[in-house]
Amino acid sequence: MEPKGIPGLNAEESTAWMSLMAMTMWLPAALDVQLSRDEGISNFEYGALAALAQNECRSMRIKDLARMANGTFPRLSKMIDRFEKQGWVIRRPDPDDGRATRAVLTAEGLRKVAVATPAHIALARELVFDQLTSEQVEQLTTITQKVFRAAGPDGACASRMT
C-alpha cells in the first residue's frame, strides 16, 4: 500500500519532508546519547562549547550564543552557570557594551571540547558522511545552507518571532 501524501505536498515532497523531519529528530538524539554517555554533556551543550572554541577570541555575547544555538537567553544563561561550575566558561562584561555579558571559554573548556570532539566527529562520520558519496555531501551542503538561510535566525525564525 502506497503511503498517503501530506495535503499540499506531492508524493515526492511528502517523502522528502517526512525523511527530513525524521532526520532532524533522530540525528540530534543519537548525538545526544553519545555525548551524554562519553562526556556528560548534551549535543546542544557541545554545540555551544564548540562555537566558543571556534571563535577567534574564544568568547561570544551570551545573547549571540543563544541566537546561534537556537536557545533562549534563560536556557543559555543556566547552561553557562553549569559551565562556570565546571570551570569551562567564565562570564565577562562585554568591553564594547557594558550592558552585555560575554561567555569566555577557559583552557579547561577548550580541553573539554578537544576531548569530546573525536568521538563526536566519528559518530557524525558514521551516521552521515559514510552514508553519502562526495557528490551527495556537496548536495547536502547546498541544500542545508539554503534551508538554514530560509529558516534560521535571519530567515523565517526572525520574521515570525517579532
Side-chain angles (χ1 to χ4, degrees):
M1 179 176 184
E2 182 114 356
K4 291 185 177 185
I6 299 169
L9 299 178
N10 65 36
E12 184 179 28
E13 291 168 335
S14 291
T15 300
W17 181 248
M18 293 307 294
S19 295
L20 177 63
M21 293 302 294
M23 184 195 71
T24 60
M25 286 186 258
W26 287 99
L27 183 59
L31 296 170
D32 269 336
V33 167
Q34 178 270 316
L35 285 163
S36 178
R37 178 193 66 224
D38 295 350
E39 299 302 326
I41 59 175
S42 69
N43 187 49
F44 180 79
E45 292 168 329
Y46 173 83
L49 288 169
L52 291 171
Q54 291 176 350
N55 191 300
E56 187 177 322
C57 62
R58 303 227 191 306
S59 77
M60 292 177 75
R61 287 182 181 177
I62 294 175
K63 74 173 189 170
D64 293 338
L65 187 59
R67 185 173 184 262
M68 182 276 317
N70 193 24
T72 63
F73 183 84
R75 180 180 184 192
L76 259 286
S77 187
K78 287 179 184 176
M79 183 180 69
I80 297 299
D81 287 343
R82 288 193 313 273
F83 288 175
E84 282 186 306
K85 289 176 185 166
Q86 296 292 328
W88 301 337
V89 170
I90 55 173
R91 282 185 169 91
R92 290 285 183 254
D94 188 318
D96 299 325
D97 181 355
R99 298 169 295 164
T101 301
R102 297 185 77 83
V104 181
L105 192 66
T106 64
E108 188 61 32
L110 188 57
R111 278 191 288 282
K112 182 67 172 177
V113 173
V115 167
T117 296
H120 178 70
I121 296 304
L123 184 59
R125 179 164 303 289
E126 176 188 337
L127 298 177
V128 179
F129 300 107
D130 289 352
Q131 309 304 316
L132 305 173
T133 65
S134 59
E135 181 179 288
Q136 289 171 323
V137 171
E138 287 179 34
Q139 293 169 344
L140 178 65
T141 300
T142 299
I143 292 164
T144 55
Q145 287 176 346
K146 285 182 177 186
V147 173
F148 176 73
R149 279 193 297 275
D154 296 324
C157 282
S159 65
R160 286 174 173 79
M161 294 183 139
T162 56

